[in-house]
């Protein structure tokens, strides 16, 4: 309980006030400026809550601390590898008594008598070179051929198109084929395809090519670039030469010759890359056709193949051995049907002709051709030598990769001729079929092995080391006997051989080691075969 006194109010300063105080409060009546006497007054309890705790709670802060983290690591140990072994004791076996020595009084005398002669013969054999390079083969090689894949493109097969050419790329993993027609009829307006399969790709589908290129005209021949795995050249029925890049599915066409006065007037029978073609963008491509022209193209700008050199085959400029008994009047072109480049001389190539005689030609020829064919470059006469003819047009030629003077030719007479470039007559003539032979190819790994495709629907493999008269193996490509038009060995995987037929199918054959591994002295036997030219 608190007791408050009424505050003392002072009036105006003066003597009156002082006097009133002096009279001990006895003054006149009360007024506004004259308060009454002091009195005690009792008021209610006033409670004031403390705010100290609240202020302290607002200002309070919570803090914590953490000791430095402790690094931990786990390590494992492995007990030393132990092995269990068991042994079994056996009852001891008494040693066998020594065999009695034969009592041959004359044996020692015989050995002493023949020992000098045996030693002399052993020394002579040690110095002999008769068995140099001989390798012992304990197992007889099996000459077997099995079908690994049967490839085809249904839209092309439904049109009745033939496989006109096959080619392996630089890595040996991609196989391409061309679709067209090789029988009678006007196929100038026929659309065709170029298809490719990657045999190393997982999930290979034989009827779904990895790449398909639609071509405005029948494709007659193909050739992959020697160093660019995705680039491939093709010759068309229209006489045009094209170059595609299969790695660009949206726009695969790189270059084309166009239909100009420089292009071929007849279907292109074959295209081939020159050996030095892998030196960058300036690749050179050779094309030949029955119009009598052999043209050398080079990649140019603006998507065009530019003609760099040209050659013309005129009958009047051929060697006498290739001329007709009654030469026609005027200039007569000689139709080219096949080309094979030499593996030893980059300027040398062999041409097969419609007349049946192979021709030895040179890119270094300087003599002007007598032909009056339109061309933007001067045409030269390339022929240097003519060989004895077949009984019909030559459809295929192949130069040996192991000997600079040997090549093979096959034609409509069903024969394969083995020629030496040093003489006109063939070294050997093999009749393989009563019908046409459309292709012949030398093995890239066996000097004495070659393959041929026949019009009877089979593929024949020859091994001249075993027999020069009959094939080592003949495999059936088509069930109905329709022709096999083309075949190619795989230079990177020599156990693979591809062949295309009139049914629009491409079969990949796997060859046994008998056709891929050289035998002893095989190269020497090839040299002896080539040396028969001197006899």
């Amino acid at each position: 309980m608190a007791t408050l006194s009424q505050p003392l109010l002072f009036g105006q300063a003066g003597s009156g006030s002082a006097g009133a105080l002096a009279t001990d409060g006895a003054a006149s009546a009360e007024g506004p400026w004259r308060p009454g006497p002091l009195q005690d007054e009792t008021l209610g309890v006033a409670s004031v809550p403390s705010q100290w705790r609240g202020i302290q709670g607002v200002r309070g802060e919570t803090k914590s601390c953490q000791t430095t983290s402790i690094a931990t690591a786990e390590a494992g140990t492995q007990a030393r590898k132990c092995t269990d072994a068991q042994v079994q004791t056996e009852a001891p076996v008494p040693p066998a008594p020594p065999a009695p020595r034969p009592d041959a009084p004359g044996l020692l005398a015989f050995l002493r008598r023949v020992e000098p002669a045996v030693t002399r013969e052993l020394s002579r054999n040690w110095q002999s070179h008769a068995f140099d390079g001989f390798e012992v083969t304990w197992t007889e090689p099996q000459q077997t051929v099995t079908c690994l894949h049967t490839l085809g493109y249904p839209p092309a097969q439904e049109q009745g198109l033939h496989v006109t050419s096959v080619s392996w790329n630089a890595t040996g993993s991609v196989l391409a084929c061309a679709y067209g027609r090789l029988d009678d009829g006007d196929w100038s307006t026929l659309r065709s395809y170029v298809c490719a399969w990657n045999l190393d790709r997982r999930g290979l589908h034989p009827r779904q090519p990895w790449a398909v290129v639609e071509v405005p005209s029948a494709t007659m021949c193909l050739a992959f670039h020697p160093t660019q795995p995705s680039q491939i050249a093709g010759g068309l029925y229209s006489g045009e030469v094209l170059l595609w890049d299969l790695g660009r599915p949206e726009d695969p066409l790189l270059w084309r010759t166009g239909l100009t006065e420089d292009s071929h007037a007849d279907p292109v029978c074959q295209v081939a890359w020159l050996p030095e073609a892998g030196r960058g963008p300036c690749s050179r491509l050779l094309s030949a056709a029955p119009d009598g022209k052999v043209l050398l193209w080079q990649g140019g700008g603006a998507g065009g193949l530019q003609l760099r050199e040209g050659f013309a085959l005129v009958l009047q400029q051929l060697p006498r051995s290739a001329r007709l008994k009654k030469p026609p009047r005027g200039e007569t072109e000689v139709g080219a049907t096949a080309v094979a480049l030499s593996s030893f001389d980059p300027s040398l190539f062999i041409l097969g002709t419609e007349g049946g005689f192979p021709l030895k030609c040179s890119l270094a020829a300087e003599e002007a051709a007598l032909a009056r064919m339109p061309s933007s470059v001067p045409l030269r006469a390339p022929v240097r030598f003519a060989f004895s003819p077949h009984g019909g047009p030559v459809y295929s030629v192949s130069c040996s990769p192991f000997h600079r003077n040997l090549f093979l030719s096959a034609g409509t007479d069903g024969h394969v001729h083995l020629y030496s470039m040093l003489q006109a007559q063939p070294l050997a003539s093999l009749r393989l079929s009563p019908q046409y032979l459309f292709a012949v190819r030398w093995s890239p790994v066996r000097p004495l092995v070659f393959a041929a495709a026949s019009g009877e629907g089979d593929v024949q493999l020859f091994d001249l080391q075993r027999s020069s008269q009959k094939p080592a193996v003949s495999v059936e490509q088509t069930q109905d006997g329709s022709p096999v038009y083309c075949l190619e060995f795989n230079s990177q995987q020599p156990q693979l051989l591809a062949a295309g037929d009139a049914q629009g199918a491409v079969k990949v054959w796997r060859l046994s080691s008998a056709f891929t591994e050289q035998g002893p002295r095989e190269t020497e036997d090839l040299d002896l075969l080539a040396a028969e030219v001197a006899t």
Side-chain angles (χ1 to χ4, degrees):
M1 178 178 178
T3 301
L4 298 178
S5 299
Q6 186 173 357
L8 178 63
L9 299 179
F10 296 93
Q12 295 179 354
S15 59
S17 297
L21 290 175
T23 60
D24 201 20
S28 62
E30 299 178 357
W33 298 108
R34 296 187 184 274
L38 296 175
Q39 297 178 0
D40 294 333
E41 186 176 356
T42 302
L43 300 176
V45 179
S47 175
V48 180
S50 173
Q51 297 183 358
W52 177 83
R53 295 184 183 275
I55 295 175
Q56 290 297 108
V58 173
R59 296 181 179 177
E61 297 180 1
T62 303
K63 295 184 178 181
S64 63
C65 62
Q66 176 64 42
T67 59
T68 305
S69 59
I70 302 175
T72 61
E74 296 182 359
T77 59
Q78 178 65 39
R80 186 174 57 183
K81 183 178 179 181
C82 300
T83 57
D84 295 335
Q86 297 179 354
V87 297
Q88 177 66 44
T89 59
E90 296 180 356
V93 178
R101 300 181 63 181
D103 187 9
L107 179 59
L108 182 58
F110 169 76
L111 294 176
R112 289 177 177 176
R113 186 173 64 255
V114 301
E115 188 271 336
V118 173
T119 303
R120 183 172 58 256
E121 291 300 325
L122 291 175
S123 300
R124 183 179 301 174
N125 292 340
W126 178 73
Q127 298 175 359
S128 174
H129 298 281
F131 296 96
D132 289 354
F134 178 74
E135 297 179 1
V136 179
T137 303
W138 301 107
T139 59
E140 185 69 18
Q142 298 295 323
Q143 293 182 328
T144 58
V145 178
T146 57
C147 183
L148 189 62
H149 301 288
T150 300
L151 311 174
Y153 187 50
Q157 293 175 306
E158 292 169 1
Q159 298 180 34
L161 299 182
H162 306 156
V163 176
T164 57
S165 180
V166 291
S167 180
W168 297 93
N169 75 337
T171 64
S173 61
V174 176
L175 173 64
C177 76
Y179 281 100
R181 294 299 292 264
L182 293 178
D183 52 4
D184 297 333
D186 183 11
W187 307 109
S188 59
T189 59
L190 181 70
R191 297 181 64 87
S192 65
Y193 308 90
V194 173
C195 302
W197 291 264
N198 189 337
L199 302 186
D200 290 344
R201 177 171 293 184
R202 182 178 298 178
L204 171 68
H205 199 294
R207 299 177 65 82
Q208 292 182 0
W210 160 65
V212 177
V213 178
E214 294 189 5
V215 187
S217 177
T219 308
M220 310 304 294
C221 52
L222 288 178
F224 264 110
H225 193 282
T227 59
Q228 302 296 327
S230 62
Q231 294 185 11
I232 187 170
L236 306 187
Y237 186 91
S238 62
E240 195 173 5
V241 178
L242 284 74
L243 178 65
W244 300 282
D245 188 345
L246 300 182
R248 306 191 316 175
E250 297 83 6
D251 185 18
L253 183 61
L254 290 180
W255 294 326
R256 65 189 310 170
T257 60
L259 296 176
T260 65
E261 64 177 10
D262 287 334
S263 59
H264 291 283
D266 288 333
V268 181
C269 65
Q270 193 165 347
V271 291
W273 295 94
L274 295 188
E276 69 273 20
R279 298 179 179 176
C282 298
S283 302
R284 298 197 297 168
L285 182 67
L286 193 71
S287 64
D291 61 355
K293 291 196 294 186
V294 178
L295 304 178
L296 191 60
W297 305 92
Q298 184 171 329
L305 282 170
Q306 299 179 0
L307 182 63
R308 294 302 183 188
E309 299 179 56
F311 304 89
L313 305 177
V314 181
L315 186 61
Q316 285 71 17
Q317 289 185 294
L318 297 185
R320 293 183 179 274
S321 59
R323 296 184 183 181
L324 302 177
K325 294 182 179 180
K326 295 181 180 181
R329 297 180 180 180
E331 302 164 0
T332 304
E333 294 81 10
V334 177
T337 55
V339 178
L341 302 178
S342 172
S343 301
F344 298 89
D345 187 348
S347 65
L348 180 65
F349 63 98
I350 301 295
L351 280 181
T353 63
E354 291 180 331
F357 42 84
L359 298 176
K360 178 182 177 181
C361 303
S362 175
L363 295 174
E366 298 181 356
E367 180 183 0
L370 299 178
R372 297 178 180 177
M373 305 175 186
S375 177
S376 62
V377 299
L379 299 179
R380 307 195 301 270
V383 180
R384 290 294 174 263
F385 192 77
F387 301 91
S388 296
H390 283 259
V394 176
Y395 276 165
S396 181
V397 288
S398 178
C399 291
S400 171
F402 298 94
H403 199 286
R404 65 183 306 114
N405 292 329
L406 296 181
F407 71 93
L408 296 166
S409 64
T412 58
D413 58 356
H415 285 76
V416 168
H417 287 181
L418 173 62
Y419 288 98
S420 170
M421 295 186 187
L422 303 180
Q423 71 175 26
Q425 297 297 326
L427 300 178
S429 179
L430 308 175
R431 181 173 175 82
L432 305 187
S433 172
Q435 298 188 21
Y436 293 176
L437 290 180
F438 290 98
V440 63
R441 290 293 182 269
W442 217 301
S443 169
V445 293
R446 284 285 311 277
L448 294 175
V449 170
F450 66 89
S454 78
E456 295 179 294
D458 56 2
V459 176
Q460 301 183 20
L461 285 163
F462 267 82
D463 189 346
L464 298 179
Q465 194 173 37
R466 295 180 175 271
S467 175
S468 60
Q469 300 299 325
K470 61 180 182 179
V473 171
S474 180
V475 294
E476 187 180 72
Q477 169 95 3
T478 59
Q479 299 293 333
D480 59 354
S482 54
V484 181
Y485 287 129
C486 53
L487 55 81
E488 286 291 344
F489 284 95
N490 190 330
S491 60
Q492 301 299 321
Q493 302 182 54
Q495 75 277 11
L496 300 182
L497 171 68
D501 54 51
Q503 294 181 344
V506 179
K507 288 192 175 182
V508 180
W509 300 96
R510 183 192 295 275
L511 310 181
S512 63
S513 59
F515 296 106
T516 58
E517 297 179 0
Q518 287 193 29
R521 302 182 61 85
E522 188 168 348
T523 304
E524 290 80 356
D525 292 343
L526 184 68
D527 294 337
L528 292 176
L529 185 62
E532 293 182 6
V533 65
T535 61

